[in-house]
Amino acid sequence: MAKLRKQFLGKVSGKLGDLVFRNTRKTNYISSRPVSFNTPQDEYSINRRSRFAMAGKFSSLIISIPDLKLLWQLQAPAGMNIFNYLVKTNYNLVNPDGLTEIVSLTPPMGWIVNSENVTVNQNDIKITISPIGENSGIRTDLEKEVRLFCVISLSKPADTKLDASTLIPLVSEKALLSLTDTLNFELKITNQISELMNKYQTRLLLFALVTYDEKGNPVSYSKTFIG
């Protein structure tokens, strides 16, 4: 790779014949285009690309949910793009064709919750969560409400024309926070989501709780748990 120290050409980028130009601040870089490149088709390479794509899909979904995105942004290293941070975090936690039980909707160090009952039908998902307990570190003088987040991971489609995997995000209404009582949530399922779920053979439900202050700002969060 060569670089031009003086900007006779101004800022140059793109391709010209067998040359590739790119610009970084005040320097133009020139390199030769590869004659050809064959994408490796061995099993390891295919799985690696599929896992990277799955990590990217999941990371994009997290970013699309403002409250979860904010929690992850607070954990990302200074100067690191939130998407890149999420992909790096999740790459080894996903399968090439879907999420796993160890993927996390929330950053590390969340408090522990346990579900007592989860029911799924064509219209909704209902979940009952055991009392969180007063040893969770939650500040009830600050944290007043709680909301349930869910991601449905679908894989192994019955029809090969469908995407190999699909992720569906669901968010509950806010509920009053209690540390000593059970918490009950209902997640509505549209006809479109219900129809899509029926087209896949494998389904994984991931849940996480987020608490809020009186102004509606997210404060703390649980570890991810499965249903």
Side-chain angles (χ1 to χ4, degrees), residues 193-213:
I193 292 176
S194 179
E195 182 181 12
L196 184 60
M197 290 171 65
N198 290 332
K199 293 180 178 179
Y200 285 81
Q201 302 177 61
T202 300
R203 180 178 68 198
L204 175 65
L205 275 64
L206 300 170
F207 299 97
L209 293 176
V210 176
T211 64
Y212 297 82
D213 62 20

Side-chain angles (χ1 to χ4, degrees), residues 170-227:
L170 298 173
V171 183
S172 77
E173 297 293 333
K174 290 179 182 176
L176 291 176
L177 175 63
S178 172
L179 301 183
T180 56
D181 298 321
T182 57
L183 297 172
N184 296 284
F185 294 94
E186 182 178 4
L187 299 164
K188 293 294 185 180
I189 296 178
T190 64
N191 292 337
Q192 296 92 327
I193 292 176
S194 179
E195 182 181 12
L196 184 60
M197 290 171 65
N198 290 332
K199 293 180 178 179
Y200 285 81
Q201 302 177 61
T202 300
R203 180 178 68 198
L204 175 65
L205 275 64
L206 300 170
F207 299 97
L209 293 176
V210 176
T211 64
Y212 297 82
D213 62 20
E214 292 180 338
K215 295 182 178 180
N217 300 311
V219 180
S220 68
Y221 49 88
S222 75
K223 289 181 177 294
T224 298
F225 57 100
I226 61 173

Side-chain angles (χ1 to χ4, degrees), residues 3 5-6 15 18 25 43 56 63 67-68 76 86 91 101 107 110 112 117 126 146 149 157 172 178 196 222-223:
K3 62 182 178 180
R5 295 186 179 277
K6 293 185 179 181
K15 301 175 183 177
D18 293 331
R25 293 184 179 180
E43 183 177 358
I63 290 173
D67 292 345
L68 296 185
L86 283 166
Y91 175 79
E101 295 182 0
I112 297 173
N117 185 53
K126 294 180 179 178
V146 62
F149 292 83
S172 77
S178 172
L196 184 60
S222 75
K223 289 181 177 294

Side-chain angles (χ1 to χ4, degrees), residues 127-146:
I127 180 169
T128 300
I129 295 173
S130 301
I132 297 172
E134 298 180 348
N135 196 35
S136 60
I138 294 174
R139 293 179 52 188
T140 53
D141 61 323
L142 174 64
E143 302 166 65
K144 300 297 182 180
E145 294 182 305
V146 62

